[in-house]
């Protein structure tokens, strides 16, 4: 039984393609989506695999300053220098596993989706269904959002100047009727304070989120996340001829940069027999596992395909303010 959960935020720095294989539709290589809503997501296996690779890469650097920097970010951790055994204790082994992973991840679900706007270049949109589900999942992490209303379709924060000629917000070529709302302001402020790291380089984005959040109806949100992703046409070059290879034209779908997703990091004690031993005695508790993950979580990871053309570069942020709570998964 997993005992402790924390929200893990993913902010796309470049478009990402966490693929669902080939498809017979308009797009040859679509992104992963929820079956029943069509909303974009990252499968939990993709999330865990990317993070585990990032932790292994960190250990491979074999530099003392890796531990020093991590301890400055999380002074209560102090796990010292990260190594392969610590990663295998927490994440489990790739082969010949002798114990279950002490850390699990849920699918990364879309929270905020960027859409082109007539004012301020772009805004983030979300919808009541997303907000309601987010509230429920934050409860698992001990974060109480019960006083936050999620039935807020057609609202923007107070003081936002997104409204055009007193009619609505122009998102791409669509005019969406909205009104200013104190409840929307509460959500915008909470997102601004919690979704981004507290460092100075994110101050612009925190300020933008307080005024450029639009809560649209569920079906409008579905239409935007289905029709406003990045579609890229690619070709394959015949190396011997230097021209396009016949039949090698294909299209790929990408989740756009500045998309915000969230996953739950769920921890349990490392389950190993006493004679096997732990690389760190604090792994005997779920809190110790979470502390290790928080201390060494890279600020930037690569997730999904097309790493060699700069896709999938993603910023990470762990929200660590929730209360400890035992949950069953």
């Amino acid at each position: 039984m997993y005992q402790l959960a924390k929200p893990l935020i993913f902010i796309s720095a470049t478009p990402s393609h966490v693929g669902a294989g080939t498809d017979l539709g308009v797009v040859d290589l679509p992104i992963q989506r929820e079956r029943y809503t069509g909303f974009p997501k990252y499968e939990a296996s993709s999330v865990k695999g990317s993070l585990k690779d990032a932790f292994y890469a960190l250990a491979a650097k074999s530099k003392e300053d890796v531990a020093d920097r991590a301890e400055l970010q999380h002074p209560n951790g102090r796990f010292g220098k990260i190594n392969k055994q610590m990663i295998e204790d927490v994440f489990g082994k790739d082969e010949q596993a002798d114990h279950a992973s002490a850390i699990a991840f849920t699918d990364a679900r879309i929270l905020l989706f960027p859409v082109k706007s007539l004012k301020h270049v772009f805004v983030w949109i979300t919808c009541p269904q997303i907000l309601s589900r987010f509230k429920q999942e934050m409860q698992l992490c001990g974060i109480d959002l019960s006083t936050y209303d999620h039935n807020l379709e057609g609202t923007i924060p107070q003081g936002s100047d997104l409204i055009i000629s007193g009619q609505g917000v122009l998102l791409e070529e669509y005019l969406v009727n909205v009104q200013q709302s104190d409840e929307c302001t509460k959500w915008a402020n909470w997102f601004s304070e919690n979704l981004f790291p507290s460092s100075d380089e994110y101050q612009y984005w925190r300020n933008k989120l307080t005024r450029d959040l639009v809560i649209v109806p569920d079906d409008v949100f579905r239409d935007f996340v289905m029709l406003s992703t990045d579609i890229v046409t690619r070709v394959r070059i015949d190396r011997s001829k230097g021209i396009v290879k016949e039949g090698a034209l294909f299209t790929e779908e990408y989740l756009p940069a500045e998309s915000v997703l969230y996953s739950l990091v769920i921890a349990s004690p490392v389950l190993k027999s006493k004679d096997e031993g732990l690389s760190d005695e604090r792994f005997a508790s779920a809190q110790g596992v979470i502390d290790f993950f928080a201390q060494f979580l890279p600020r930037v990871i690569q997730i999904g395909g097309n790493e060699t053309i700069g896709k999938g570069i993603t910023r990470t942020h762990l929200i660590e303010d929730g209360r400890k709570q035992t949950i069953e998964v």
Side-chain angles (χ1 to χ4, degrees), residues 83 85-87 89-90 272 277-281 283:
N83 58 56
Q85 185 180 350
M86 297 168 77
I87 298 170
D89 278 354
V90 171
K272 294 178 71 175
L278 298 174
S279 55
D280 191 291
E281 61 182 13
F283 291 164

Side-chain angles (χ1 to χ4, degrees), residues 276-307:
E276 290 178 304
L278 298 174
S279 55
D280 191 291
E281 61 182 13
R282 284 168 288 186
F283 291 164
S285 71
Q287 185 62 57
V289 170
I290 284 289
D291 287 343
F292 169 79
F293 180 80
Q295 178 173 330
F296 292 107
L297 173 66
R299 292 182 177 180
V300 178
I301 66 170
Q302 194 280 332
I303 187 167
N306 298 325
E307 177 181 4

Side-chain angles (χ1 to χ4, degrees), residues 1 6 23 25 74 101 154 164 166 174 181 191 225 245 252 263 322:
M1 184 176 69
K6 298 289 183 182
D23 190 76
H74 298 276
S101 172
I164 306 297
Y174 302 102
S181 162
F191 288 152
V225 299
K245 190 173 182 179
E252 282 184 326
S263 172

Side-chain angles (χ1 to χ4, degrees), residues 3-78:
Q3 300 176 353
L4 189 64
K6 298 289 183 182
L8 177 60
I9 306 301
F10 297 105
I11 305 168
S12 299
T14 64
S16 59
H17 176 81
V18 182
T22 57
D23 190 76
L24 298 178
V26 176
V27 179
D28 297 313
L29 299 174
I31 60 174
Q32 294 174 356
R33 294 181 178 274
E34 296 174 355
R35 177 69 175 176
Y36 62 103
T37 64
F39 295 168
K41 69 170 182 175
Y42 299 158
E43 285 284 352
S45 57
S46 299
V47 171
K48 185 176 182 181
S50 297
L51 287 166
K52 190 173 184 180
D53 283 347
F55 271 70
Y56 274 128
L58 196 63
K61 290 181 179 179
S62 300
K63 294 181 180 179
E64 296 292 345
D65 65 333
V66 168
D68 294 340
R69 290 197 308 271
E71 287 180 9
L72 287 174
Q73 296 172 37
H74 298 276
N76 294 328
R78 299 192 179 280

Side-chain angles (χ1 to χ4, degrees), residues 8-241:
L8 177 60
I9 306 301
F10 297 105
I11 305 168
S12 299
T14 64
S16 59
H17 176 81
V18 182
T22 57
D23 190 76
L24 298 178
V26 176
V27 179
D28 297 313
L29 299 174
I31 60 174
Q32 294 174 356
R33 294 181 178 274
E34 296 174 355
R35 177 69 175 176
Y36 62 103
T37 64
F39 295 168
K41 69 170 182 175
Y42 299 158
E43 285 284 352
S45 57
S46 299
V47 171
K48 185 176 182 181
S50 297
L51 287 166
K52 190 173 184 180
D53 283 347
F55 271 70
Y56 274 128
L58 196 63
K61 290 181 179 179
S62 300
K63 294 181 180 179
E64 296 292 345
D65 65 333
V66 168
D68 294 340
R69 290 197 308 271
E71 287 180 9
L72 287 174
Q73 296 172 37
H74 298 276
N76 294 328
R78 299 192 179 280
F79 281 87
K81 187 177 179 181
I82 188 173
N83 58 56
K84 182 179 179 181
Q85 185 180 350
M86 297 168 77
I87 298 170
E88 290 182 344
D89 278 354
V90 171
F91 283 87
K93 294 181 179 179
D94 294 330
E95 298 178 357
Q96 299 180 341
D98 52 7
H99 69 283
S101 172
I103 200 164
F105 301 88
T106 64
D107 292 347
R109 292 172 159 176
I110 191 71
L111 178 60
L112 303 176
F113 185 78
V115 175
K116 182 170 62 175
S117 171
L118 182 64
K119 285 190 174 182
H120 302 172
V121 184
F122 80 92
V123 299
W124 283 285
I125 65 169
T126 188
C127 67
Q129 180 177 338
I130 294 291
L131 295 178
S132 176
R133 187 166 64 179
F134 184 72
K135 286 170 61 176
Q136 296 171 10
E137 297 194 348
M138 291 305 99
Q139 191 66 37
L140 294 175
C141 303
I143 298 175
D144 185 9
L145 297 176
S146 60
T147 61
Y148 288 67
D149 188 5
H150 60 271
N151 295 310
L152 300 171
E153 63 179 46
T155 59
I156 60 175
Q158 290 285 359
S160 175
D161 63 348
L162 292 171
I163 296 178
I164 306 297
S165 301
Q167 297 181 7
V169 177
L170 193 61
L171 303 179
E172 296 192 354
E173 65 268 33
Y174 302 102
L175 185 66
V176 179
N177 293 324
V178 299
Q179 61 183 354
Q180 296 184 359
S181 162
D182 290 334
E183 290 298 320
C184 183
T185 304
K186 285 177 61 178
W187 277 110
N189 290 338
W190 193 93
F191 288 152
S192 174
E193 294 169 3
N194 291 278
L195 298 187
F196 296 98
S198 58
S199 51
D200 291 341
E201 61 264 32
Y202 294 96
Q203 187 60 49
Y204 172 84
W205 301 104
R206 289 193 294 269
N207 292 341
K208 180 177 176 62
L209 190 46
T210 60
R211 68 177 189 271
D212 291 346
L213 175 69
V214 183
I215 302 176
V216 299
D218 293 340
D219 54 353
V220 173
F221 183 84
R222 179 201 58 208
D223 290 344
F224 273 114
V225 299
M226 292 292 293
L227 303 174
S228 295
T229 52
D230 295 345
I231 306 299
V232 178
T233 301
R234 298 185 60 190
V235 297
R236 187 175 296 113
I237 302 298
D238 188 324
R239 291 181 179 274
S240 62
K241 300 178 180 179

